[in-house]
Amino acid sequence: MARLELNSIDQLAGGAGATSDILYELGVMYAVGRDVEQNLIEAHKWFNIAAFRGSESAARYRRELADEMSSLEVAAAQRQAREWISLH
C-alpha cells in the first residue's frame, strides 16, 4: 500500500474548504497508521481541527487520544492545530 506524501495530505485537507469529515478522516488515518505512519500528535491535530469545524466524533476521539498522550505531545498537537487554522 502506498504511503501518502505530505503534499498529498495538504491537498486532502483542502485548506479553508475542507469539510469536518475530511479532517476527521485524516485524524483516523494518523491514529491507526492507515496509508501514513501512525502519529498520535498528527491524529490529535486533525481531530482538533475537525472538532473546531463541528465534528462531534472528532472531539470524542481527540479526548480519547489525549488520555494516551503526554501533556507535551498534546501541547504540540494543539499548537500545530492552531497554526493550521490560522493559515487556512
Side-chain angles (χ1 to χ4, degrees), residues 44-87:
H44 189 284
K45 175 184 92 175
W46 292 115
F47 286 142
N48 198 15
I49 296 166
F52 178 77
R53 298 258 174 106
S55 172
E56 292 179 20
S57 295
R60 183 174 55 252
Y61 283 113
R62 178 187 58 193
R63 283 190 300 273
E64 289 179 18
L65 271 183
D67 289 341
E68 299 176 24
M69 299 166 66
S70 72
S71 59
L72 290 176
E73 290 172 323
V74 171
Q78 290 173 335
R79 184 173 46 257
Q80 290 177 19
R82 282 191 305 272
E83 289 171 4
W84 192 92
I85 290 167
S86 72
L87 294 173

Side-chain angles (χ1 to χ4, degrees), residues 4-6 9-10 24-47 65:
L4 292 175
E5 298 292 325
L6 186 56
I9 292 171
D10 285 341
Y24 168 81
E25 285 301 320
L26 286 170
V28 171
M29 285 172 52
Y30 277 104
V32 299
R34 186 180 69 214
D35 297 328
V36 295
E37 187 173 328
Q38 184 181 34
N39 184 325
L40 297 185
I41 293 172
E42 282 291 314
H44 189 284
K45 175 184 92 175
W46 292 115
F47 286 142
L65 271 183

